[in-house]
Structures are given as structure tokens and as C-alpha cells.
Amino acid sequence: MGTEHRNLYCWQIDDKDPDHWPVTMRTVEGENVPLNCSTAEFVCRILIGRDHPFTMAHYFDTHWFMTYRTNE
């Protein structure tokens, strides 16, 4: 998952067990920042947590999602 702010959110897959993959952010500068939380908690924090270091909450008054799926 990425943002228009050029941050990339992913899992660091250093372990065979997916339950041990930390959520990691790759910054614009190419730095990998491991985050100590579950994926669901991370998504919630960046969407609504105004004090999270990588928050998007202060950019928007409300949240919206775009789908790229087209109905055929």
C-alpha cells in the first residue's frame, strides 16, 4: 500500500511465519521504519491518529476510498 505522499507500507518478511512479519514503512528517502503494531492497528492509526508520526489524518477532514475496479 502506498500514499500520494510517496510512503510505502508493507510487511518485512524476514520470518517464515506471517504472524511475525512487522508492518514496515519505506520512506521517500528509502529508509525502512518497522512499526510495532498489527496491520489493522497501523491502518487505523494513520487514518485517524493525529499524533501518529506517519498520519494522514491532518490532511483530510473526512476519509474516502477509491476503487480501481470497473463493473463490466
Side-chain angles (χ1 to χ4, degrees):
M1 175 175 81
T3 70
E4 65 271 13
H5 307 291
R6 296 177 41 204
N7 292 323
L8 180 64
Y9 305 107
C10 48
W11 290 285
Q12 188 170 327
I13 56 172
D14 293 339
D15 193 295
K16 290 182 180 183
D17 184 355
D19 289 336
H20 296 130
W21 296 351
V23 176
T24 302
M25 187 190 82
R26 177 160 227 161
T27 66
V28 179
E29 295 81 20
E31 177 186 3
N32 289 331
V33 180
L35 304 165
N36 187 22
C37 60
S38 70
T39 301
E41 184 179 355
F42 172 70
V43 170
C44 184
R45 284 181 180 183
I46 66 168
L47 290 178
I48 65 172
R50 293 190 179 270
D51 61 341
H52 191 274
F54 305 113
T55 190
M56 292 184 282
H58 55 83
Y59 294 113
F60 307 104
D61 292 331
T62 186
H63 299 293
W64 52 271
F65 296 92
M66 283 177 34
T67 180
Y68 291 98
R69 175 183 283 174
T70 59
N71 293 330
E72 296 179 19

